[in-house]
Amino acid sequence: MIYRFSEIDSTNDYALRSKETLVSGDVVIASRQTKGHGRFNREWVSDSEDNVYLTVVLGDISNFSVIPLYTAVVLVRVLESFGVNTKIKWPNDIFVDSKKIAGILVQSSLQGNNQFVVVGVGLNIRLSEEEKEKIGVPVVSLQEIGVNIVKDSFIEVFLDKFFIDLEKFTNQGFSFIKEEYEFNSSLTGKQINVKCSNKEFKGKVIGFSNTGEILIEENNQVIAMNSVEVLKVL
């Protein structure tokens, strides 16, 4: 079932609050969010009803730690179908020419003894200069690059593509999309600066493990990391 709201604090927050009534496959969509947020609780500016703010409810699902990577691949596929060339900044930001166009936030909470998992997706279809200034980091919208997409059409295609391979992905894990993810990654072969547990590391991205960790070569040693923030591409 699809739940639509003209305004809500956050589609993810609503879904997590409603875990007793929502079931796997439900979708929450808002025209505006008053408290939209991304990873590390950073604000996701959600003032414009032109843009996509949605959450997919997955409930208790295996391999949920790499659901952000699967969702990123799905977004790349969908945007490519509309003629948009994108890259993935690990783990789940979607960029066009080094500017962010979409983001993903996977969250979970306990429901009894099981995890209740939700997947939030935000996509910039149109952004005013005021909104871009408020965001404060390099961003881009589909309108700016000359791509006209009706929001509901995008949502329909995204949901179709998201669910069509979901069962295979949950059964096989990251290995199911590894090759496609690596091909679309903006970081493979790049020197990067990352932060993990309040420590910073520098190294070269040599790929990704079969379970979705980013592999960084530092001082002739390969480190597998799965909970890091990419601070800078060097």
Side-chain angles (χ1 to χ4, degrees):
M1 181 176 291
I2 295 180
Y3 297 83
R4 292 182 180 269
F5 297 88
S6 57
E7 185 174 286
I8 201 172
D9 54 350
S10 155
T11 56
N12 265 26
D13 290 351
Y14 173 85
L16 291 171
R17 287 196 305 269
S18 307
K19 61 186 176 184
E20 300 303 325
T21 55
L22 297 179
V23 298
S24 178
D26 284 346
V27 180
V28 181
I29 299 172
S31 297
R32 291 185 177 88
Q33 297 181 120
T34 58
K35 295 182 180 179
H37 54 93
R39 292 181 77 215
F40 309 108
N41 209 32
R42 293 185 178 127
E43 180 184 11
W44 184 274
V45 176
S46 312
D47 298 336
S48 173
E49 63 182 19
D50 292 326
N51 300 321
V52 173
Y53 319 114
L54 69 79
T55 293
V56 179
V57 176
L58 296 182
D60 189 32
I61 188 169
S62 61
N63 288 315
F64 78 87
S65 64
V66 284
I67 285 290
L69 312 186
Y70 171 75
T71 308
V73 167
V74 173
L75 274 172
V76 167
R77 291 173 182 172
V78 175
L79 289 168
E80 189 176 71
S81 74
F82 286 104
V84 184
N85 294 317
T86 61
K87 286 292 183 181
I88 302 169
K89 180 184 175 184
W90 191 90
N92 52 10
D93 285 337
I94 309 301
F95 279 68
V96 173
D97 295 331
S98 301
K99 295 181 180 180
K100 188 172 180 177
I101 197 166
I104 299 157
L105 178 64
V106 176
Q107 294 178 282
S108 68
S109 65
L110 283 176
Q111 186 177 34
N113 294 321
N114 299 320
Q115 290 286 340
F116 182 83
V117 180
V118 301
V119 183
V121 173
L123 171 70
N124 301 327
I125 293 181
R126 294 179 184 84
L127 289 174
S128 67
E129 290 303 316
E130 182 181 356
E131 287 170 317
K132 291 172 69 174
E133 186 175 334
K134 186 176 180 181
I135 292 168
V137 296
V139 292
V140 69
S141 68
L142 292 174
Q143 184 186 46
E144 284 180 76
I145 59 176
V147 177
N148 295 312
I149 295 177
V150 177
K151 180 169 68 172
D152 286 346
S153 297
F154 173 86
I155 291 173
E156 182 180 357
V157 175
F158 170 76
L159 293 176
D160 283 345
K161 290 187 180 294
F162 184 88
F163 286 112
I164 196 168
D165 282 332
L166 182 60
E167 185 176 357
K168 290 180 181 178
F169 174 75
T170 54
N171 289 334
Q172 299 179 35
F174 181 69
S175 60
F176 178 67
I177 58 162
K178 180 182 176 182
E179 185 176 341
E180 190 173 358
Y181 188 92
E182 287 184 330
F183 178 79
N184 288 292
S185 170
S186 66
L187 299 181
T188 304
K190 301 287 182 62
Q191 293 283 339
I192 64 171
N193 184 13
V194 300
K195 184 177 181 180
C196 180
S197 301
N198 294 320
K199 294 182 179 180
E200 291 190 19
F201 300 86
K202 292 180 181 179
K204 181 181 180 180
V205 178
I206 62 171
F208 302 88
S209 73
N210 288 332
T211 50
E213 294 102 342
I214 189 168
L215 301 177
I216 299 174
E217 185 178 49
E218 182 187 42
N219 297 326
N220 296 319
Q221 290 186 328
V222 176
I223 306 170
M225 298 181 174
N226 62 6
S227 182
V228 301
E229 178 184 6
V230 178
L231 300 176
K232 190 176 182 181
V233 179
L234 304 174

